Amino acid sequence: EIASCLVGSEMCIRDRSLTARNGDVIVANYNGCFVCKLIDKVQARLLSASADFAPVSITPEDEFSLEGVVTRSIRLHHKSPELAACML
């Protein structure tokens, strides 16, 4: 299944049928929050593309579900209320 989500000023296209590989950009539910991060499968961590955020370890106590692998992103140059409304 292919779906989309808004991340900042970009719309990401995710594919739920793909198996995430180390270093892929993924959308996940992490402890009840949807996140878009790079996945480090070797060390079980979520990595940010920004140096402002430290890596987050995924532990057995965490609630974690992979919601898809990001295959494309589209930069939005103008905010669209209609698009934002359909992404809720």
Side-chain angles (χ1 to χ4, degrees):
E1 171 188 342
I2 296 176
S4 60
C5 61
L6 287 177
V7 178
S9 63
E10 292 189 358
M11 182 172 67
C12 295
I13 309 299
R14 62 188 164 108
D15 190 334
R16 297 180 111 186
S17 70
L18 296 178
T19 300
R21 296 177 300 193
N22 194 51
D24 277 348
V25 177
I26 55 108
V27 174
N29 184 326
Y30 177 74
N31 293 329
C33 296
F34 282 95
V35 296
C36 184
K37 300 281 185 182
L38 294 156
I39 191 160
D40 177 352
K41 293 182 81 170
V42 175
Q43 297 184 51
R45 300 184 307 168
L46 297 173
L47 310 174
S48 177
S50 169
D52 294 338
F53 298 96
V56 175
S57 294
I58 305 167
T59 67
E61 293 79 28
D62 289 316
E63 177 187 322
F64 179 83
S65 65
L66 183 68
E67 298 296 324
V69 175
V70 175
T71 57
R72 305 280 188 278
S73 64
I74 302 166
R75 176 143 313 185
L76 304 174
H77 295 279
H78 294 280
K79 291 185 179 182
S80 168
E82 297 83 12
L83 183 59
C86 74
M87 296 298 184
L88 297 176

